[in-house]
Amino acid sequence: MIKAAIIGATGYAGQALLGILTRHPEVDVMHIGSRSYDGERIDRVYPLYRGTLDDTCQNLSVRELADSADVIFLALPHGIASAQIDEKVLDKTVIIDLGADYRLNDVNIYEKWYQVKHESPALLASAVYGLPELHRAEITQTNLIANPGCYTTCSILTLAPLIQAGLIDIDSVVIDAKSGVTGAGRGETLANHFCEVNENIKAYKIASHRHTPEIEQELSLLSDKEITLLFTPHLVPMNRGILSCCYAKATEDLTADKLAEVYRVFYEGEPFVRLIGSASPETRWVKGTNLIDIGVTFDPRTRRVIAMGAIDNLYKGAAGQAVQNMNIRFGLDEKTGLDFVADFPV
Amino acid sequence: MIKAAIIGATGYAGQALLGILTRHPEVDVMHIGSRSYDGERIDRVYPLYRGTLDDTCQNLSVRELADSADVIFLALPHGIASAQIDEKVLDKTVIIDLGADYRLNDVNIYEKWYQVKHESPALLASAVYGLPELHRAEITQTNLIANPGCYTTCSILTLAPLIQAGLIDIDSVVIDAKSGVTGAGRGETLANHFCEVNENIKAYKIASHRHTPEIEQELSLLSDKEITLLFTPHLVPMNRGILSCCYAKATEDLTADKLAEVYRVFYEGEPFVRLIGSASPETRWVKGTNLIDIGVTFDPRTRRVIAMGAIDNLYKGAAGQAVQNMNIRFGLDEKTGLDFVADFPV
Amino acid sequence: MIKAAIIGATGYAGQALLGILTRHPEVDVMHIGSRSYDGERIDRVYPLYRGTLDDTCQNLSVRELADSADVIFLALPHGIASAQIDEKVLDKTVIIDLGADYRLNDVNIYEKWYQVKHESPALLASAVYGLPELHRAEITQTNLIANPGCYTTCSILTLAPLIQAGLIDIDSVVIDAKSGVTGAGRGETLANHFCEVNENIKAYKIASHRHTPEIEQELSLLSDKEITLLFTPHLVPMNRGILSCCYAKATEDLTADKLAEVYRVFYEGEPFVRLIGSASPETRWVKGTNLIDIGVTFDPRTRRVIAMGAIDNLYKGAAGQAVQNMNIRFGLDEKTGLDFVADFPV
Amino acid sequence: MIKAAIIGATGYAGQALLGILTRHPEVDVMHIGSRSYDGERIDRVYPLYRGTLDDTCQNLSVRELADSADVIFLALPHGIASAQIDEKVLDKTVIIDLGADYRLNDVNIYEKWYQVKHESPALLASAVYGLPELHRAEITQTNLIANPGCYTTCSILTLAPLIQAGLIDIDSVVIDAKSGVTGAGRGETLANHFCEVNENIKAYKIASHRHTPEIEQELSLLSDKEITLLFTPHLVPMNRGILSCCYAKATEDLTADKLAEVYRVFYEGEPFVRLIGSASPETRWVKGTNLIDIGVTFDPRTRRVIAMGAIDNLYKGAAGQAVQNMNIRFGLDEKTGLDFVADFPV
């Protein structure tokens, strides 16, 4: 059994992770970490655990856990992980960081977009961007996995085959993404208040959202050119789900068949990618799963490709993907503990 | 493997049943029945099944299925099942009817409340009301299980210990229940339109809802007197969940401890009942599970007991309970295929 | 023009009040009071005012405003108003308090339920409970109007005719009420977080909500006996609206006609009461208005009366009623500035 | 008083129109037209009218109404109006058509996108596209006003100043728009069912929505070139509101000041346009008003302009704009009957 610790287990992503790991047949959750709820029983924090989980939240550090844990998941705001992790920790245990600190290869880009100093830039070289569909082999070799952001997972996977195949003009990419409110976390802010979110749609952080450089980095790796793109997130009055609508100019006349073939080849054998032709992905059909649904259309009028992806932001966009990474890293079947299907309507 | 057929698999309860049964380790779903979607692939009707289930819906009758199916689930509007089932069918297979036709022991009460003629009243004697917490032993012995309604499951289980212990004045019972919209089914009606439901709360079928006699029948069995009670359902702008708030005059001064003890004894060993003291049950903590959460309070000012129960109407209130009944009837561990826990927020 | 000041203008009730008063033809809003947003422009706090209202929030006290304001509205948490108001203030201006401090005639009941010391109990004698349908004449004569709570307005008006006519057993009253989230205020709490409210229904403060004694006080005035009743509030995932479902045993056999007549006589000429027979009130039909819709049913099976009322909690339950009280107190037509009708769907 | 008739008064747009017109000081609603509810009282169809409007819906034709009505509003599905209107009708009365039949100047484009034959193409020459901010003068001169679509109003007004000023590459325009469910009408379809919409976000009619040619037509009039653009609509789980996010490549380096100035000059004096700099428009701040909020940002990284507009789809996107057109056509102050402000939270 893999001994797993979660630091930051009482936020929405941390809780989703806890839920998946407690059902995972190869995992023993040895630490439910929480600073806010230190000393409280998890079934008081989340009463859904009544009768199944009565552990108490604790507030141990990465260093305290590194000796005994096989894997430590961090679900923390950015800037905290980079101060807790060092070579010694990585010699002892596997870190899967759901935060942003090790996602960007270039520390300057990190510090520019996040406006904090990175505390362990030397570790960036050994960190692997934990998007299995792009970096599966490297994930097996590292002790520092940077789990991607929710918007980024959805956007990168939606666009990757187009970029690699050179089917779109890389200066023309616009991503208009929409997220449910769990993406904003469990913070007690006015912006998260029911009445401020409900019956409203808004964009936010226009041309300035921190997931932008992450998307650009990963897509640039698939191209021979550096990609700069426009990314706009929106807040939708619903609990879960991300829909990424990606627009780009085609470099040639395309057909539905051609697009389907490019995606099919790119994602052949991928357990969590569902290609749905030119249908519209909807978040409801992937809610509660680790899947991404991708649909692609070519519009001959405007010679544009419209590629759309839908994920559950807490699963494929956070906790599910973290467990997928753990499975890969520990040599398990990638789907272990992740083979839940959606229910509807939830 | 148990060969299971579902008739009415494309409504919300039928789909929930299909989802549970396809994940059930001892079941092989041999028939996905639908009149409306006859000939269509189930993953077109519910795209959540893309990649996992590509069967085609068919429209076979109970009689056509009876020879080959070990168990047939019916998720149909009332009045249809009673015309399809007869002694011959019951000699061959087990029927679990999620509709109302065999729930009421007295055909006159059925015909009065439902305003239709019952087509097979002779079968009522062999039908068992499929609420395992009250009728587990009988369920093992019958081929005709009448799966309870959603409101009724929640209300009966919430009140049963109080009635049996004689702690409340049975002339004083008022049930004020609230349901999510899946309870109203998937019908294309104005009443189900998003904009007619959203941002609204209403009661409906005041003093006339058909679940009333069902609740009265089952609670009367626990008392030495016939119980007549007031039941009021409400429609809440959410997908799933039922909350039953039950009010009654106490026959004696009660304490939290006394109430807790009565409930504890009554539900000892029950796998799907969670007693939460005097806390308020919330539908979110049982959403996606087969559980009922029950909380009970005594108010000394008014000498009233307030007992509340919360369930997922599609699981413990319909499909989950149907599978629980199947497990009991076929000698399986009662929790088989039902040991999912809630996630949050969904 | 009436010079009006609002203290606490940036909460939901305060903002609703500001909206009504700025459209009121006889009112000049001279002070938009806010402690949290002191110095900020109101159209920054609530961008709906862009282009129509650019005033700056200030943080003046009752005493500072008393000399110049004709009327001061207070929309504050309980316990604050009672420390700010005294005889001198009341000699100079009219106070309409949307909080709880002057609603209960008996200071002991106040201090027991609210668990704070009342700072000006001597003023309780001159305070008038601002429910126009019951106390219109007294409202014209006082400078201290205690605007009723939202649940209480809805519950009292729904039950009043039954109590006065002696048609129900006053020991049998149970009120099961449901509220939208604006009723919980604009506080940045976990309980108000979108994902904690959405897709959930719960009761709260069972047998202990502070609106209980207020309802009992007012209904007892209509009866020859002291009334003790059970009141249970619920939180519904919607922005606005309250539905009060009131259950009581009838003291005689009743008919729809008899009930309709009792209510018709009681509310004859009332501008904001709509009697809808035995139909079910729905919050959507009164959203955005100062109306209460009341429907009443007698159930011969259980000999119970089911009386239901629906209001907009921010209008008839708070700001609208406050302006109604102001209109009465200042001799205006009671409907002035309140004659908006609902729109749908909002 | 202007005698106004509404044909199609019981859909959501028709009802919104009825609400505005019944409050309009210069209008007498002489006909509430409905085929579905012919003979029913409007306060039965929409109980919000209880006590204020007890008229009966009727099913009269344009020709029957033309003699007595000063203005006839049509809120009908496309293809119906064009068969009812002719020169004789237009000699007698003013038609304001909320449907699509007279919006497109080119009958071929209409027939291609709508796939129906146009029954009165000769009238297209006299029809005026009823977007006051672009065609105010012509609106005063015509008896056939084609009220714009909801998405189109929002998108055209958001982009118009950029196009006219030549600040964007017209081959690069992508519009990603989001709508509340009232935009889909009151039809009893599965797609409108609460549980199919709630907790979901989806795009639909990708590269094929019928509002596309309407946007292209109007923006082309502001440019010296024909514009072909990509338009993608989304369905958001909320009642009302449209947000149009428009992306385009800038033809020069832009500044916030430059953009603000271009928009300021373009919309100088417009009563229903609010320019909010580079802030993000949110539908909640215009809900219940006839306003559009527009915010514009230049992103130097990608050299793209992001222009966003938010409207209430039933008001500025349908009924409010129709009344604005009526006011202009009949020489009234344009704001008459439309000077309501938003409330919040609704």
Side-chain angles (χ1 to χ4, degrees):
Chain A
M1 295 290 275
I2 300 166
K3 282 177 286 175
I6 306 171
I7 297 182
T10 54
Y12 289 140
Q15 191 292 117
L17 190 53
L18 178 61
I20 296 173
L21 291 177
T22 53
R23 294 188 293 262
H24 194 291
E26 305 289 338
V27 169
D28 176 41
V29 178
M30 57 166 280
H31 176 74
I32 302 174
S34 174
R35 200 178 52 180
S36 324
Y37 295 100
D38 187 14
E40 282 195 52
R41 279 171 54 154
I42 188 65
D43 58 357
R44 297 286 164 80
V45 184
Y46 285 104
L48 61 96
Y49 290 112
R50 282 173 186 144
T52 56
L53 202 65
D54 60 3
D55 298 60
T56 297
C57 299
Q58 293 174 271
N59 188 18
L60 299 184
S61 69
V62 172
R63 289 184 187 91
E64 291 170 290
L65 291 161
D67 285 316
S68 50
D70 298 315
V71 57
I72 305 176
F73 293 89
L74 283 78
L76 298 168
H78 68 267
I80 297 177
S82 75
Q84 296 202 12
I85 299 170
D86 56 23
E87 294 284 359
K88 279 188 210 159
V89 163
L90 296 178
D91 284 347
K92 297 177 189 167
T93 192
V94 174
I95 298 290
I96 300 179
D97 181 15
L98 281 75
D101 286 4
Y102 300 100
R103 291 179 192 157
L104 295 171
N105 304 332
D106 183 337
V107 69
N108 296 316
I109 293 178
Y110 175 86
E111 294 186 346
K112 181 178 148 208
W113 284 81
Y114 286 88
Q115 295 287 310
V116 295
K117 189 170 153 45
H118 198 292
E119 300 290 341
S120 51
L123 299 182
L124 290 175
S126 59
V128 171
Y129 191 76
L131 193 57
E133 291 78 6
L134 299 187
H135 300 288
R136 187 172 282 110
E138 304 151 79
I139 292 166
T140 64
Q141 306 296 324
T142 185
N143 276 3
L144 181 50
I145 299 170
N147 212 58
C150 49
Y151 282 125
T152 51
T153 295
C154 195
S155 303
I156 294 166
L157 293 179
T158 300
L159 281 167
L162 293 174
I163 302 279
Q164 195 194 52
L167 296 179
I168 54 175
D169 171 0
I170 63 162
D171 290 333
S172 72
V173 179
V174 170
I175 304 173
D176 186 293
K178 297 92 183 170
S179 174
V181 187
T182 47
R186 213 187 187 200
E188 299 172 8
T189 65
L190 186 60
N192 287 341
H193 191 296
F194 182 86
C195 301
E196 307 287 319
V197 172
N198 188 38
E199 295 298 302
N200 189 41
I201 176 88
K202 67 168 179 183
Y204 62 99
K205 293 190 183 158
I206 296 171
S208 60
H209 193 278
R210 288 160 170 169
H211 284 180
T212 310
E214 203 177 318
I215 302 170
E216 291 176 342
Q217 164 183 293
E218 292 301 311
L219 292 181
S220 294
L221 293 175
L222 295 169
S223 174
D224 47 4
K225 285 187 267 186
E226 286 296 305
I227 297 180
T228 304
L229 53 76
L230 184 62
F231 170 73
T232 311
H234 294 73
L235 190 67
V236 178
M238 61 182 192
N239 283 342
R240 288 167 90 146
I242 282 182
L243 181 70
S244 282
C245 301
C246 308
Y247 305 101
K249 280 205 173 158
T251 51
E252 56 182 277
D253 278 329
L254 294 166
T255 61
D257 283 352
K258 171 74 184 271
L259 285 169
E261 179 63 8
V262 166
Y263 275 76
R264 192 191 62 70
V265 170
F266 194 94
Y267 287 123
E268 183 118 53
E270 283 299 340
F272 295 115
V273 178
R274 290 199 302 202
L275 303 174
I276 64 171
S278 59
S280 286
E282 307 189 24
T283 58
R284 58 179 168 156
W285 304 127
V286 294
K287 190 177 179 183
T289 79
N290 200 48
L291 297 164
I292 180 167
D293 274 2
I294 302 175
V296 199
T297 303
F298 173 68
D299 175 32
R301 290 179 68 253
T302 60
R303 287 181 56 91
R304 269 198 170 66
V305 182
I306 305 104
M308 297 193 179
I311 62 168
D312 182 319
N313 58 305
L314 292 182
Y315 282 2
K316 184 62 177 168
Q321 184 146 271
V323 174
Q324 188 181 356
N325 281 318
M326 181 198 73
N327 288 343
I328 294 170
R329 174 61 185 75
F330 286 83
L332 304 176
D333 182 316
E334 199 165 326
K335 289 177 290 188
T336 313
L338 294 172
D339 53 351
F340 29 77
V341 298
D343 190 9
F344 180 78
V346 283
Chain B
M1 297 290 275
I2 300 166
K3 283 178 285 175
I6 306 171
I7 296 182
T10 54
Y12 289 140
Q15 190 292 117
L17 190 54
L18 177 61
I20 297 173
L21 290 177
T22 53
R23 293 188 294 263
H24 194 291
E26 306 289 338
V27 169
D28 176 42
V29 178
M30 56 166 281
H31 176 74
I32 302 173
S34 174
R35 200 179 53 180
S36 324
Y37 295 100
D38 187 14
E40 284 196 50
R41 277 171 55 154
I42 188 67
D43 57 358
R44 298 284 165 82
V45 184
Y46 285 104
L48 63 96
Y49 290 112
R50 282 172 185 146
T52 56
L53 202 65
D54 60 3
D55 299 61
T56 297
C57 298
Q58 293 174 272
N59 188 19
L60 299 184
S61 69
V62 172
R63 286 184 188 91
E64 290 170 290
L65 291 160
D67 285 316
S68 50
D70 297 316
V71 57
I72 304 174
F73 294 90
L74 284 78
L76 298 169
H78 69 265
I80 298 176
S82 74
Q84 296 203 11
I85 298 170
D86 56 23
E87 293 285 359
K88 280 187 207 161
V89 163
L90 294 178
D91 284 347
K92 298 176 189 169
T93 191
V94 174
I95 297 290
I96 301 180
D97 180 17
L98 280 76
D101 287 5
Y102 299 101
R103 292 179 191 157
L104 295 170
N105 304 331
D106 182 337
V107 69
N108 296 316
I109 293 179
Y110 175 87
E111 295 187 343
K112 180 177 149 209
W113 284 80
Y114 286 86
Q115 295 288 310
V116 294
K117 189 169 153 45
H118 198 292
E119 301 289 342
S120 52
L123 299 181
L124 290 176
S126 59
V128 171
Y129 192 76
L131 193 57
E133 291 78 5
L134 299 187
H135 299 288
R136 186 171 283 111
E138 302 151 80
I139 292 166
T140 65
Q141 306 296 324
T142 185
N143 276 3
L144 180 51
I145 298 171
N147 213 58
C150 50
Y151 282 125
T152 51
T153 294
C154 194
S155 303
I156 294 166
L157 293 179
T158 300
L159 280 166
L162 293 173
I163 302 280
Q164 194 193 52
L167 296 179
I168 54 174
D169 171 359
I170 61 162
D171 290 333
S172 72
V173 180
V174 170
I175 304 173
D176 186 292
K178 296 92 183 171
S179 174
V181 187
T182 47
R186 213 186 186 200
E188 299 172 9
T189 65
L190 186 60
N192 287 342
H193 191 295
F194 182 85
C195 301
E196 308 287 319
V197 171
N198 188 39
E199 295 298 301
N200 189 42
I201 175 88
K202 67 169 179 182
Y204 61 100
K205 292 192 184 155
I206 296 172
S208 59
H209 193 278
R210 287 159 171 170
H211 284 180
T212 309
E214 203 177 318
I215 303 170
E216 291 176 343
Q217 165 183 294
E218 292 301 310
L219 292 179
S220 293
L221 293 174
L222 296 168
S223 173
D224 49 2
K225 283 187 268 186
E226 286 295 306
I227 296 180
T228 306
L229 53 77
L230 185 61
F231 170 74
T232 312
H234 293 74
L235 191 67
V236 178
M238 61 181 193
N239 283 343
R240 285 167 91 145
I242 282 181
L243 181 69
S244 282
C245 301
C246 308
Y247 304 102
K249 281 205 172 159
T251 51
E252 56 182 275
D253 279 327
L254 293 167
T255 62
D257 284 353
K258 172 72 183 274
L259 285 168
E261 179 64 9
V262 166
Y263 275 77
R264 193 190 62 71
V265 170
F266 194 94
Y267 287 122
E268 183 118 54
E270 283 299 340
F272 294 115
V273 178
R274 290 200 302 203
L275 303 174
I276 62 170
S278 58
S280 286
E282 306 188 25
T283 56
R284 58 178 168 157
W285 304 128
V286 295
K287 190 176 177 182
T289 78
N290 200 48
L291 296 164
I292 180 168
D293 274 1
I294 303 175
V296 198
T297 303
F298 173 68
D299 175 32
R301 291 179 69 254
T302 60
R303 289 182 54 94
R304 269 197 171 65
V305 182
I306 306 104
M308 297 193 178
I311 63 168
D312 182 319
N313 58 304
L314 292 183
Y315 281 3
K316 184 61 178 170
Q321 184 146 272
V323 174
Q324 188 181 356
N325 281 318
M326 180 198 75
N327 288 342
I328 294 170
R329 175 61 185 76
F330 285 84
L332 304 175
D333 182 315
E334 198 165 328
K335 289 177 291 189
T336 313
L338 294 171
D339 52 353
F340 28 78
V341 299
D343 190 8
F344 180 78
V346 283
Chain C
M1 296 289 276
I2 299 167
K3 283 179 285 177
I6 306 172
I7 296 182
T10 55
Y12 289 139
Q15 191 291 116
L17 190 54
L18 178 61
I20 297 173
L21 290 177
T22 52
R23 294 189 292 262
H24 193 291
E26 306 288 339
V27 169
D28 176 42
V29 178
M30 56 166 281
H31 177 74
I32 302 174
S34 174
R35 200 179 53 180
S36 324
Y37 295 99
D38 187 13
E40 283 195 52
R41 277 171 54 155
I42 188 66
D43 57 358
R44 298 285 164 81
V45 184
Y46 284 103
L48 64 96
Y49 290 112
R50 283 173 184 145
T52 56
L53 203 65
D54 60 4
D55 298 61
T56 298
C57 298
Q58 293 173 272
N59 188 18
L60 298 183
S61 69
V62 172
R63 286 185 188 90
E64 291 171 290
L65 290 161
D67 285 316
S68 49
D70 297 317
V71 57
I72 304 175
F73 293 90
L74 284 79
L76 299 168
H78 69 266
I80 298 177
S82 75
Q84 295 202 12
I85 298 171
D86 56 23
E87 294 283 0
K88 279 188 209 159
V89 163
L90 295 179
D91 284 347
K92 297 177 189 167
T93 191
V94 174
I95 298 290
I96 300 180
D97 181 16
L98 280 75
D101 287 5
Y102 299 101
R103 291 178 193 158
L104 295 170
N105 303 331
D106 182 336
V107 69
N108 296 316
I109 294 179
Y110 174 86
E111 295 187 345
K112 181 178 149 208
W113 284 80
Y114 286 86
Q115 294 288 311
V116 294
K117 190 169 153 45
H118 198 292
E119 300 290 341
S120 50
L123 298 182
L124 289 176
S126 60
V128 170
Y129 192 76
L131 193 56
E133 291 78 6
L134 299 186
H135 299 288
R136 186 171 282 111
E138 303 151 78
I139 292 166
T140 64
Q141 306 296 325
T142 184
N143 276 4
L144 180 50
I145 298 170
N147 213 57
C150 50
Y151 282 125
T152 50
T153 295
C154 194
S155 304
I156 294 166
L157 293 179
T158 301
L159 280 166
L162 293 173
I163 301 281
Q164 194 193 52
L167 296 178
I168 55 175
D169 171 359
I170 62 161
D171 290 334
S172 72
V173 179
V174 170
I175 304 173
D176 187 293
K178 297 92 183 172
S179 174
V181 187
T182 47
R186 214 187 186 200
E188 299 172 8
T189 66
L190 186 61
N192 287 341
H193 191 295
F194 181 85
C195 301
E196 308 287 319
V197 172
N198 188 37
E199 294 299 303
N200 189 41
I201 176 90
K202 68 168 179 182
Y204 62 100
K205 293 192 184 155
I206 296 171
S208 60
H209 193 279
R210 287 159 171 170
H211 284 180
T212 310
E214 203 177 317
I215 303 170
E216 291 176 343
Q217 165 183 293
E218 292 301 310
L219 292 180
S220 293
L221 293 175
L222 296 168
S223 173
D224 49 4
K225 283 188 268 186
E226 286 295 306
I227 296 179
T228 305
L229 53 76
L230 185 61
F231 170 75
T232 311
H234 294 74
L235 190 67
V236 178
M238 61 181 194
N239 284 343
R240 286 166 92 146
I242 283 182
L243 181 69
S244 282
C245 301
C246 307
Y247 305 101
K249 280 206 174 159
T251 50
E252 57 181 274
D253 279 329
L254 293 167
T255 61
D257 284 351
K258 171 72 184 275
L259 285 168
E261 178 65 9
V262 165
Y263 275 77
R264 192 190 62 70
V265 169
F266 193 93
Y267 286 123
E268 182 119 53
E270 283 299 338
F272 295 114
V273 177
R274 290 200 300 204
L275 303 174
I276 63 172
S278 60
S280 285
E282 307 189 24
T283 56
R284 59 179 167 156
W285 304 128
V286 295
K287 190 177 178 183
T289 78
N290 199 48
L291 296 164
I292 180 167
D293 273 1
I294 303 175
V296 198
T297 303
F298 173 69
D299 175 33
R301 289 180 69 254
T302 60
R303 288 184 52 95
R304 269 196 171 66
V305 181
I306 305 104
M308 297 193 178
I311 62 167
D312 182 319
N313 57 304
L314 291 183
Y315 282 2
K316 184 61 179 170
Q321 184 146 273
V323 174
Q324 188 182 356
N325 280 317
M326 181 198 75
N327 288 343
I328 294 170
R329 175 60 184 75
F330 285 84
L332 304 175
D333 182 315
E334 198 165 328
K335 289 177 291 187
T336 313
L338 294 171
D339 52 353
F340 29 78
V341 298
D343 190 9
F344 180 78
V346 283
Chain D
M1 296 290 275
I2 300 166
K3 281 178 286 174
I6 306 171
I7 296 182
T10 54
Y12 289 141
Q15 192 291 117
L17 190 54
L18 178 61
I20 297 173
L21 291 177
T22 52
R23 295 188 292 262
H24 194 291
E26 305 289 338
V27 169
D28 177 42
V29 178
M30 57 166 281
H31 176 75
I32 302 175
S34 173
R35 199 179 54 181
S36 324
Y37 295 100
D38 187 14
E40 282 196 51
R41 277 172 54 154
I42 188 65
D43 57 358
R44 297 286 163 80
V45 184
Y46 285 104
L48 63 95
Y49 290 112
R50 282 173 186 143
T52 56
L53 202 65
D54 60 3
D55 298 61
T56 296
C57 299
Q58 292 173 273
N59 187 19
L60 298 183
S61 69
V62 172
R63 287 185 188 90
E64 291 170 290
L65 290 161
D67 285 315
S68 49
D70 297 315
V71 56
I72 304 175
F73 294 90
L74 283 78
L76 298 169
H78 69 266
I80 298 178
S82 75
Q84 295 203 12
I85 299 170
D86 55 23
E87 295 283 0
K88 278 189 209 157
V89 162
L90 295 179
D91 285 347
K92 296 178 190 166
T93 191
V94 174
I95 297 290
I96 300 180
D97 181 15
L98 280 77
D101 286 4
Y102 299 101
R103 291 179 193 158
L104 295 170
N105 303 331
D106 182 336
V107 68
N108 296 316
I109 294 179
Y110 175 86
E111 294 186 346
K112 181 179 148 209
W113 284 80
Y114 286 87
Q115 295 289 309
V116 294
K117 190 170 154 42
H118 197 292
E119 302 288 343
S120 49
L123 298 183
L124 289 176
S126 59
V128 171
Y129 192 75
L131 193 57
E133 291 77 8
L134 299 186
H135 299 289
R136 188 172 281 111
E138 302 151 80
I139 292 166
T140 64
Q141 305 297 324
T142 185
N143 276 3
L144 180 51
I145 298 171
N147 212 59
C150 49
Y151 282 125
T152 51
T153 294
C154 193
S155 303
I156 295 167
L157 293 180
T158 300
L159 281 167
L162 292 173
I163 302 279
Q164 194 193 51
L167 296 179
I168 54 174
D169 171 0
I170 63 162
D171 289 334
S172 72
V173 180
V174 170
I175 304 173
D176 187 291
K178 296 91 183 169
S179 174
V181 187
T182 47
R186 212 185 187 201
E188 299 172 8
T189 66
L190 186 60
N192 288 341
H193 191 294
F194 182 85
C195 299
E196 308 286 320
V197 171
N198 188 38
E199 294 298 301
N200 189 41
I201 175 88
K202 68 169 179 182
Y204 62 99
K205 292 191 183 157
I206 296 172
S208 60
H209 193 278
R210 287 160 172 167
H211 284 180
T212 310
E214 203 177 318
I215 302 171
E216 292 176 341
Q217 164 183 292
E218 292 301 311
L219 292 180
S220 293
L221 294 175
L222 296 169
S223 174
D224 47 4
K225 285 187 268 188
E226 285 295 306
I227 296 180
T228 305
L229 52 77
L230 184 61
F231 170 74
T232 312
H234 293 74
L235 190 66
V236 178
M238 61 181 193
N239 284 343
R240 286 168 92 146
I242 282 182
L243 182 69
S244 282
C245 301
C246 308
Y247 304 101
K249 281 206 173 159
T251 51
E252 57 181 274
D253 278 328
L254 293 167
T255 62
D257 283 353
K258 171 75 185 271
L259 286 168
E261 179 64 9
V262 166
Y263 275 78
R264 193 191 61 72
V265 170
F266 194 95
Y267 287 123
E268 183 118 53
E270 283 298 340
F272 295 114
V273 178
R274 289 199 304 201
L275 303 175
I276 63 171
S278 59
S280 286
E282 306 189 25
T283 56
R284 58 178 167 156
W285 304 129
V286 295
K287 190 176 177 182
T289 79
N290 200 47
L291 296 164
I292 181 168
D293 274 2
I294 303 176
V296 198
T297 302
F298 173 68
D299 175 32
R301 291 178 69 253
T302 59
R303 288 182 54 92
R304 269 198 171 66
V305 182
I306 306 104
M308 297 193 178
I311 62 167
D312 182 319
N313 58 304
L314 291 183
Y315 282 2
K316 184 61 179 170
Q321 185 146 271
V323 173
Q324 188 181 355
N325 281 317
M326 180 197 75
N327 288 342
I328 293 170
R329 175 61 185 74
F330 286 83
L332 304 176
D333 181 314
E334 199 165 327
K335 289 178 291 187
T336 313
L338 294 170
D339 53 352
F340 29 77
V341 298
D343 190 8
F344 180 78
V346 281

